[in-house]
Amino acid sequence: MKWLSKLVLVLCLAIGTTLAALAVTIGYTASCPDSPEAVNGSELMKAVRHRCYGPPDVLEFVDHARPQPGHTEIQVKVANAGVNPLDWHYMRGTPYLLRLMSGIGTPTDTRLGVDFAGTVSAVGPGVSKFKVGDRVFGGTTGAFAEYITVDQDRSVSPVPAGISLQQAAAVPIAGVSALQALRDLGKLQVGQKVLINGASGGVGTFAVQIAKAMGAEVSGVCSTRNVEMVKSLGADRVFDYKRENYTEGPASYDLIIDNVGNHPISDNLGVLKPGGRLVMVGGAKGNWIAPVIAPVKSMLIAPFVDQELLTLFAQMNQGDLTVLAGMMRDGQLGSVIDREFTLAETAEAIRYSETGRARGKIVIGI
């Protein structure tokens, strides 16, 4: 048995050493290069870049080569870009596990921003869905720039007539997240009761409107200053979290969309109907394991409860953007814009986003 104990000890030491080495590796942040990126190409544009990880101060407002459309790509002259938490996660490279995709030490892709709306300015020879002059919105890497390119079959859709490009730019990530949380994971049905925790944020403001359009009875949770705004979006009941705790009330829900993660899973289960669903969209902040604690807990608890515990990993796609465009066209969905910044003020826009106090969305005018 002694040899078995020694083997276990060796394995534990090996695993511990490997994990420690991985932690040191992905947690390493290189210094920003002194020399700027080389600018190649005759056509230039203004763009925001980040050549290293860190706070908004690492963002650079630079001249950059204008991207040219490939065979099935369109070039878009960006009018507005939306700001999302995803942007500052990539800017900071946190949580550190993200760096396994974005680059160890420094970002492998210095572009930033995803949500965009603008006008098609050029098309590749194989493009059939769009033409120069079309107004479009969607999501692609590098939206914090004067021009972007995106494949015609990827995350891009026409902007409905009567909808401003500013309004459209605020929709993609937050709108798709809200739609998939309610429809795909939440399986929301007409007449069901849904509670949206964090109803005044980007995902929350869209979730309230989409849930109402789906025929649900909607309750929202927000701070005192946002109660009337959330009501104006169609919420039937609004909890001011500074004055009341929805997990202590008598009401029960078929679906809870949790954008905040400020209540234990057990408390949410206490107000969730048998067979109901808890969809976690947001979670705890942290560089290491904090963001994954709730999903792991939900997997451990799930076998012992009769409600479903689900974590959203939203996927941007053309079909859902088209659904959201239709809702905008029909007057069922609108963007709540908190503030607009210029492209040169992107660092300030992201700094404001990191406070978590934005009402609805932050956009950048380009």
Side-chain angles (χ1 to χ4, degrees), residues 202-215:
V203 175
T205 52
F206 290 124
V208 170
Q209 297 173 81
I210 294 171
K212 285 300 294 182
M214 294 176 70

Side-chain angles (χ1 to χ4, degrees), residues 265 278 280 292-305 307-311:
I265 292 174
L278 169 63
M280 290 169 282
V292 302
I293 289 176
V296 170
K297 280 185 177 179
S298 69
M299 288 189 290
L300 296 175
I301 295 171
F304 305 100
V305 298
Q307 298 106 327
E308 291 191 56
L309 308 178
L310 306 159
T311 301

Side-chain angles (χ1 to χ4, degrees), residues 92-136:
R92 291 183 179 272
T94 58
Y96 291 134
L97 287 174
L98 179 68
R99 300 186 182 190
L100 294 174
M101 297 184 296
S102 64
I104 302 298
T106 58
T108 55
D109 191 338
T110 64
R111 297 175 297 171
L112 200 64
V114 176
D115 289 354
F116 73 87
T119 305
V120 177
S121 49
V123 299
V127 171
S128 58
K129 291 185 176 180
F130 302 95
K131 64 182 185 302
V132 172
D134 285 350
R135 300 192 316 146
V136 295

Side-chain angles (χ1 to χ4, degrees), residues 160-161 163 323-333:
I163 303 299
V323 170
L324 296 170
M327 295 182 71
M328 287 191 283
R329 179 198 61 221
D330 296 340
Q332 297 174 317
L333 190 69

Side-chain angles (χ1 to χ4, degrees), residues 82-89 114-115 144 170 173-174 350 353 361-362:
V83 177
N84 297 282
L86 181 68
D87 302 322
W88 47 263
H89 282 304
V114 176
D115 289 354
F144 297 158
I173 286 180
I350 292 184
S353 176
K361 294 288 297 182
I362 303 164

Side-chain angles (χ1 to χ4, degrees), residues 251-328:
S252 58
Y253 307 93
D254 299 285
L255 172 64
I256 295 176
I257 304 295
D258 191 358
N259 299 308
V260 185
N262 58 343
H263 291 285
I265 292 174
S266 57
D267 287 359
N268 278 310
L269 292 176
V271 291
L272 199 59
K273 293 179 180 179
R277 294 177 173 86
L278 169 63
V279 178
M280 290 169 282
V281 179
K285 293 181 180 180
N287 294 337
W288 293 102
I289 64 171
V292 302
I293 289 176
V296 170
K297 280 185 177 179
S298 69
M299 288 189 290
L300 296 175
I301 295 171
F304 305 100
V305 298
D306 59 4
Q307 298 106 327
E308 291 191 56
L309 308 178
L310 306 159
T311 301
L312 177 72
F313 298 98
Q315 297 292 321
M316 187 88 75
N317 63 82
Q318 194 170 69
D320 284 348
L321 287 173
T322 301
V323 170
L324 296 170
M327 295 182 71
M328 287 191 283

